[in-house]
Amino acid sequence: DAPDIVLLQELKCVEEAFPAMEIGDLGYNLAVFGEKTYNGVAILSKYPLDDIRRGLPGDDADTHARYIEAVASLPGGAMRVASVYVPNGQTTDSDKFQYKQRFLARLHAHVKTLLAYDEKLVIGGDYNIAPDDALDVHDPKAWKGSVLTHDIVRDCLRRITNLGVYNAMRLVHPNEKIFSWWDYRAGALDRDDGLLIDHLLLSPQAADILKECTVAKKLRELEKASDHAPVVAKFAA
């Protein structure tokens, strides 16, 4: 079945170039925050979207299209949803790694604000962080100290989850190695040499109604597929 809500990252186009008409014909309402060539995030919903916010608060100079949120009027009640594209960080000695840390600090502050609303909340997307060597990394030794596994960014993500949000995958599969990203090179997908860097973070109210969480790996196996596979969650009505 087509999902009720889709969270997209890395659109790499401005809003005017996004195929809004074609997606609308499939029955989706849209909230798009685009950027030419880089970044870009969107929310697709079969139900009305209100209270749309484009961008994280905390730095007016940061115009990168990496965060969008909206309230979806679902049949079982409203749910606030957000699509986030955390910076990769490039290399640990680069300005981009510093930017990644600042972005995560702003996300922490905003999640703290949102949790005070006592709503069903899902913040999903490409976090560019594999939180746990044992569960989220195919070869911890090979990835040690990388921008995706560095202790600094893991601590940033841990501070966010310590606010009281839950990783949907680990609520359903607490001890299972599951990946959402596989490099295009060197047959990584065939060997299942992957990382779990895409996450759905849930408020307690959303966690209470979580039924399933999986990775749609078959979509990664398609020709010309993204190097990410979607993380899919099902909630009780």
Side-chain angles (χ1 to χ4, degrees):
D1 291 347
D4 287 340
I5 296 175
V6 182
L7 306 175
L8 298 178
Q9 301 85 43
E10 212 171 351
L11 305 179
K12 294 185 176 178
C13 69
V14 294
E15 186 171 348
E16 293 75 20
F18 192 74
M21 189 179 297
E22 292 84 350
I23 291 173
D25 288 345
L26 296 174
Y28 286 101
N29 300 285
L30 299 180
V32 181
F33 184 25
E35 181 179 346
K36 191 174 183 181
T37 311
Y38 300 104
N39 308 320
V41 284
I43 300 168
L44 284 54
S45 171
K46 289 188 175 178
Y47 300 96
L49 292 172
D50 300 296
D51 199 15
I52 297 167
R53 166 188 280 279
R54 292 172 174 84
L56 273 178
D59 184 356
D60 292 341
D62 183 3
T63 57
H64 292 303
R66 291 186 171 275
Y67 181 89
I68 189 168
E69 80 179 46
V71 174
S73 301
L74 301 171
M79 177 181 278
R80 188 176 296 271
V81 294
S83 178
V84 63
Y85 180 37
V86 174
N88 172 279
Q90 198 172 47
T91 59
T92 55
D93 58 354
S94 70
D95 291 344
K96 290 182 178 178
F97 192 63
Q98 299 296 319
Y99 171 52
K100 183 174 189 173
Q101 294 171 59
R102 293 194 303 273
F103 184 92
L104 288 164
R106 287 162 55 209
L107 183 61
H108 175 278
H110 190 51
V111 170
K112 190 173 185 179
T113 298
L114 294 181
L115 285 173
Y117 297 167
D118 288 332
E119 295 173 323
K120 288 179 278 190
L121 168 68
V122 179
I123 304 174
D126 179 0
Y127 283 78
N128 270 313
I129 302 169
D132 185 270
D133 275 348
L135 297 175
D136 307 324
V137 183
H138 71 91
D139 185 348
K141 198 176 287 185
W143 284 93
K144 186 173 175 58
S146 78
V147 292
L148 304 179
T149 62
H150 199 285
D151 286 345
I152 288 175
V153 293
R154 283 178 167 175
D155 286 346
C156 289
L157 184 59
R158 190 176 301 114
R159 282 197 290 274
I160 293 171
T161 56
N162 284 349
L163 290 170
V165 290
Y166 301 85
N167 191 318
M169 187 63 71
R170 294 307 166 205
L171 288 176
V172 180
H173 304 282
N175 302 306
E176 192 176 335
K177 263 201 173 184
I178 295 174
F179 307 134
S180 63
W181 176 88
W182 298 262
D183 200 323
Y184 285 128
R185 297 168 293 185
L189 182 65
D190 292 337
R191 294 197 311 275
D192 200 26
D193 288 353
L195 301 173
L196 183 64
I197 57 175
D198 303 275
H199 309 291
L200 296 170
L201 301 187
L202 314 181
S203 68
Q205 294 83 351
D208 282 346
I209 59 169
L210 179 67
K211 306 286 280 183
E212 295 177 33
C213 189
T214 57
V215 171
K217 190 179 178 184
K218 286 194 181 330
L219 295 180
R220 175 64 177 83
E221 296 165 354
L222 297 174
E223 194 175 343
K224 296 184 178 177
S226 165
D227 49 1
H228 296 257
V231 176
V232 181
K234 290 187 177 179
F235 297 88

